């Protein structure tokens, strides 16, 4: 009988201890830490690496997942493989989710990263010869952005119905008969060895060791369509840990870090999501009005 009572007491104590342990675990710091997977471009992750450290102070663990193209981050987000991504302009995002019928949404703005036209063969725009080969990103929105850049540089003229989406057919005038060569965005820096010039997205330019000072021409003042965003799956926008990503990115600490680190190559652009919606008029406005 004593053995039975002893066994019952031991079991009771074990249950109590386990219950206490569970309560401690629920309130302990290790269980309070949320982990968020954020998809980013492999081009330059310095800002997000800085944010990773800041987030730890707020009990948020950010796991960066890098991608080498502009397609997989949105597909991975749609499939739930990551919780958020931050690599794309709002114009590219809108085009992509519409084409792919994805249920994603923007929850915050981040930076403007001006696109530039670079060359290893020529030192100025006027040096570009007739029939020069110019590499541009082949994704529809970045293609359009590159064409708009060439127009602002005075090299081509686009048709009035240009809506931001790139194609060779949208070019109205090409007086130099430029040979425009669409390639994967990540390959545009590599084309500098072969092409006369290459329109390169800022993140890939930085990865290749280029700055805006090296460009023949760059966006004088990037319009709202080219503000970068943080995107999430629809229905997840109100998750506190995802809103925390926006709060951290738009903090004074991160703003100062970006300004000090990139020295104007990447510019903080903290506007409301609502302000990003009506950007279509930017396609037709002259550069000095944007």
């Amino acid at each position: 009988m004593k053995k039975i009572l002893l066994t019952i007491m031991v079991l009771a104590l074990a249950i109590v201890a386990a219950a206490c342990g569970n309560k401690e675990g629920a309130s302990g710091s290790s269980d309070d830490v949320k982990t968020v997977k954020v998809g980013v471009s492999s081009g330059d992750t310095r800002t997000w690496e800085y944010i990773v450290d800041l987030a730890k102070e707020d009990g948020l663990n950010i796991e960066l997942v890098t991608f080498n193209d502009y397609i997989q981050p949105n597909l991975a987000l749609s499939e739930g493989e990551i919780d958020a991504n931050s690599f794309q302009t709002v114009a590219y995002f809108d085009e992509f989710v519409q084409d792919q019928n994805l249920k994603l949404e923007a929850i915050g703005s981040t930076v403007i990263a001006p696109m530039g036209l670079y060359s290893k063969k020529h030192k100025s725009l006027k040096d570009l010869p007739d029939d020069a080969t110019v590499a541009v990103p082949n994704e529809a929105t970045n293609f359009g952005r590159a064409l708009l850049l060439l127009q602002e540089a005075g090299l081509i003229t686009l048709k009035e119905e240009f809506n931001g989406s790139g194609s060779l057919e949208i070019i109205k005038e090409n007086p130099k008969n430029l040979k425009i060569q669409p390639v994967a965005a990540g390959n545009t820096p590599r084309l500098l060895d072969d092409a006369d010039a290459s329109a390169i997205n800022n993140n890939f330019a930085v990865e290749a060791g280029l700055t805006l000072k090296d460009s023949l021409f760059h966006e004088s003042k990037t319009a709202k369509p080219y503000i970068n965003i943080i995107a999430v799956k629809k229905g997840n926008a109100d998750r506190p840990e995802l809103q925390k990503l926006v709060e951290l990115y738009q903090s004074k600490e991160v703003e100062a870090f970006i300004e000090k680190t990139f020295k104007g190559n990447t510019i903080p652009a903290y506007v409301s999501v609502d302000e990003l919606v009506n950007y279509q008029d930017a396609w037709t406005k002259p550069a000095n009005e944007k």
Side-chain angles (χ1 to χ4, degrees):
M1 186 67 179
K2 289 183 179 180
K3 289 184 178 181
I4 294 174
L5 289 174
L6 181 60
T7 300
I8 293 173
M9 291 177 64
V10 170
L11 289 173
L13 288 172
I15 292 171
V16 172
C20 292
N22 287 337
K23 288 181 181 178
E24 290 175 0
S27 60
S29 60
S30 62
D31 285 356
D32 284 348
V33 175
K34 296 283 188 180
T35 296
V36 177
K37 291 185 178 181
V38 180
V40 297
S41 170
S42 62
D44 192 326
T45 60
R46 284 177 290 177
T47 299
W48 273 106
E49 288 171 358
Y50 178 73
I51 292 173
V52 167
D53 291 335
L54 284 181
K56 292 177 181 177
E57 301 173 7
D58 291 327
L60 181 63
N61 179 50
I62 299 175
E63 180 182 335
L64 300 182
V65 181
T66 58
F67 295 89
N68 295 318
D69 62 32
Y70 288 165
I71 298 173
Q72 295 305 314
N74 281 328
L75 298 180
L77 181 58
S78 179
E79 293 296 324
E81 296 172 6
I82 55 178
D83 300 291
N85 68 38
S86 177
F87 74 98
Q88 63 196 323
T89 66
V90 64
Y92 175 81
F93 172 78
D94 284 348
E95 180 87 13
F96 191 91
V97 297
Q98 181 177 348
D99 288 347
Q100 300 293 324
N101 193 28
L102 303 179
K103 297 186 182 301
L104 308 177
E105 62 181 314
I107 62 169
S109 62
T110 57
V111 295
I112 292 173
M115 176 182 278
L117 184 66
Y118 298 84
S119 176
K120 285 186 177 181
K121 298 181 179 180
H122 310 289
K123 294 184 178 180
S124 67
L125 283 175
K126 65 181 181 180
D127 293 335
L128 281 178
D130 291 348
D131 300 313
T133 300
V134 179
V136 300
N138 62 3
E139 299 91 355
T141 304
N142 282 303
F143 192 170
R145 183 177 184 178
L147 292 180
L148 194 60
L149 177 69
L150 295 178
Q151 176 173 260
E152 291 177 350
L155 297 172
I156 64 173
T157 302
L158 301 175
K159 296 178 181 178
E160 291 183 2
E161 59 265 31
F162 175 69
N163 63 359
S165 183
S167 73
L168 296 177
E169 290 72 24
I170 204 67
I171 299 173
K172 180 180 180 180
E173 297 177 1
N174 184 2
K176 282 183 171 288
N177 194 34
L178 300 177
K179 307 299 183 185
I180 297 174
Q181 180 180 352
V183 300
N187 290 334
T188 49
R190 301 185 185 97
L191 267 292
L192 286 173
D193 292 327
D194 301 313
D196 290 280
S198 187
I200 306 176
N201 290 86
N202 188 274
N203 59 321
F204 291 118
V206 171
E207 183 180 14
L210 301 168
T211 70
L212 288 180
K213 293 181 180 179
D214 300 317
S215 67
L216 302 181
F217 185 83
H218 60 79
E219 292 164 334
S220 55
K221 186 177 182 182
T222 309
K224 289 179 182 178
Y226 306 131
I227 292 177
N228 285 266
I229 61 170
I230 296 173
V232 300
K233 202 169 183 177
K234 278 192 174 180
N236 289 343
D238 293 332
R239 282 172 52 186
E241 64 269 28
L242 298 182
Q243 285 296 322
K244 190 65 180 180
L245 293 178
V246 178
E247 181 184 332
L248 286 167
Y249 207 114
Q250 296 180 357
S251 67
K252 293 295 184 181
E253 294 92 337
V254 172
E255 182 178 6
F257 175 85
I258 292 171
E259 291 173 347
K260 179 179 179 180
T261 303
F262 297 100
K263 298 178 174 61
N265 285 333
T266 298
I267 306 166
Y270 303 152
V271 301
S272 68
V273 175
D274 289 340
E275 288 183 68
L276 299 177
V277 175
N278 299 314
Y279 60 76
Q280 286 82 359
D281 58 348
W283 306 132
T284 54
K285 283 185 178 180
N288 61 3
E289 292 184 11
K290 294 177 183 177

